[in-house]
Amino acid sequence: MTEPTLLVLDAEPPPRLGKLTGKARILHADEDSLAGQLPEADVLLVWDFLSHAVRGAWPGEGPRPRWVHTASAGVDHLMSPELAASDTVVTNARGIFDQPIAEYVAALVLSMAKDLPRTLELQRAHQWRHRESQRVAGTRACVVGSGPIGRAIVRTLEALGITTALVGRTARGEVHGPEDLDALLTRADWVVCVAPLTEDTRGMFDRRRFALMPPSARFVNVGRGQLVVESDLAEALAERRLAGAALDVFEQEPLPAGSPLWEAPGLIVSPHMSGDTVGWRDDLGEQFVAQFERWTAGQPLRNVVDKERGYVPGH
């Protein structure tokens, strides 16, 4: 039996695929060579999950891989109309980032409630300035995005005594539908965005939605940068219509040095690192190898993405 051809869209450091020796013919591509190599591949591993090269390379002549796996939770960076309409199966790295991101969100919430950024500033200035901080137990959070990451955030915040409402694409069980979001925002102390990026969610947090939140509320985005109208958030912070915010994702990454977000009052900026804990790349590699072994054995793949919706359904 001929070994299947696995094409890897590389990023540094590369994935550890030693367990596939003798099981696959492995080729490597960068953004420039990807389009020319796609027709050779049975499987495409999008290891460089920050690249948009797949979206541009997919339309074209010749056959396309039967399966695409991205080492990320989001798939917006690779989806094109042609890929969505094809028979190619798309899978993602669902399950790897759930708890790390939940812990990161909890750290941001506690940091803002306890005014830790200001404490560090005063320490650097050698200033002793006593202040009172906020208790998080008894506050309310609205988490937008009901996938595994959103559910992990809910569990973690509730462990801190925060009453949490979860908003998803449709109402079911304890999950609120989009029609409830505006009302939930009006009484939220914490608003956490972890929704997938789709045409329905793009720019969902804008001037109108920030105006619904109490002036004492804080906003956290660990989903996708394009979910937020960044100029509207910067304006709300500058005018003190929000108490604070934390962004781990941005419309343009890396965030340009000249972006006004760097100077926005009360904003914590982090470089898209909320899910990246020590050993995370090894976890991603092991997840893909396990998926590849299922694929070659003819077993159903896990984490199959609904290409029209842009995420794994069923949660």
Side-chain angles (χ1 to χ4, degrees):
M1 179 179 176
T2 304
E3 295 175 353
T5 297
L6 166 62
L7 179 62
V8 182
L9 178 58
D10 276 327
E12 291 295 333
R16 297 181 180 179
L17 301 175
K19 291 182 180 179
L20 299 185
T21 301
K23 299 178 181 179
R25 171 178 172 246
I26 301 177
L27 304 177
H28 297 270
D30 58 19
E31 293 192 349
D32 295 329
S33 63
L34 178 65
Q37 292 181 270
L38 272 180
E40 295 185 65
D42 297 299
V43 179
L44 173 64
L45 168 58
V46 185
W47 189 248
D48 186 356
F49 54 81
L50 296 178
S51 170
H52 290 78
V54 176
R55 186 187 298 168
W58 195 269
E61 299 295 327
R64 289 295 181 262
R66 291 174 284 158
W67 167 36
V68 174
H69 178 83
T70 179
S72 60
V75 299
D76 52 276
H77 59 291
L78 59 87
M79 293 303 300
S80 65
E82 293 81 4
L83 174 53
S86 72
D87 294 332
T88 297
V89 176
V90 176
T91 59
N92 71 357
R94 179 188 185 201
I96 299 295
F97 302 106
D98 304 358
Q99 192 56 34
I101 292 178
E103 292 173 4
Y104 199 87
V105 169
L108 291 171
V109 167
L110 289 170
S111 178
M112 288 187 280
K114 304 307 177 183
D115 200 22
L116 293 184
R118 181 63 173 156
T119 295
L120 294 174
E121 290 177 8
L122 293 170
Q123 179 182 343
R124 284 190 291 269
H126 296 190
Q127 294 184 25
W128 180 279
R129 190 174 302 171
H130 180 269
R131 287 140 19 248
E132 294 179 343
S133 64
Q134 180 183 3
R135 179 185 296 185
V136 298
T139 60
R140 295 183 177 186
C142 175
V143 177
V144 183
S146 61
I149 296 174
R151 291 177 183 274
I153 291 170
V154 167
R155 290 193 300 270
T156 304
L157 295 183
E158 288 183 343
L160 296 174
I162 300 174
T163 300
T164 308
L166 183 62
V167 179
R169 184 173 181 268
T170 57
R172 62 217 184 265
E174 296 181 355
V175 178
H176 294 267
E179 63 277 5
D180 294 337
L181 177 57
D182 287 358
L184 290 169
L185 294 179
T186 64
R187 53 182 185 268
D189 300 295
W190 312 97
V191 178
V192 182
C193 179
V194 68
L197 178 61
T198 67
E199 289 309 309
D200 291 334
T201 61
R202 187 181 300 273
M204 67 184 300
F205 283 99
D206 56 8
R207 180 180 289 105
R208 184 186 72 82
R209 285 226 160 99
F210 291 129
L212 292 173
M213 302 177 198
S216 59
R218 280 132 172 154
F219 175 76
V220 176
N221 186 20
V222 289
R224 284 291 182 268
Q226 294 84 352
L227 299 169
V228 176
V229 180
E230 293 177 345
S231 58
D232 290 354
L233 174 61
E235 180 181 280
L237 291 169
E239 296 177 359
R240 299 295 195 267
R241 290 186 278 109
L242 283 179
L247 300 179
D248 186 56
V249 288
F250 300 86
E251 187 169 0
Q252 183 178 349
E253 297 182 5
L255 185 65
S259 170
L261 291 175
W262 290 109
E263 304 297 332
L267 178 63
I268 297 174
V269 171
S270 60
H272 203 151
M273 58 181 283
S274 61
D276 302 348
T277 52
V278 175
W280 66 287
R281 290 185 178 88
D282 290 340
D283 293 339
L284 288 171
E286 290 172 5
Q287 182 189 53
F288 173 73
V289 168
Q291 283 272 60
F292 190 89
E293 291 174 344
R294 292 181 65 86
W295 183 75
T296 54
Q299 298 173 353
L301 291 170
R302 297 190 172 103
N303 298 354
V304 175
V305 173
D306 182 319
K307 294 184 290 183
E308 293 299 328
R309 294 183 181 181
Y311 55 85
V312 178
H315 51 259

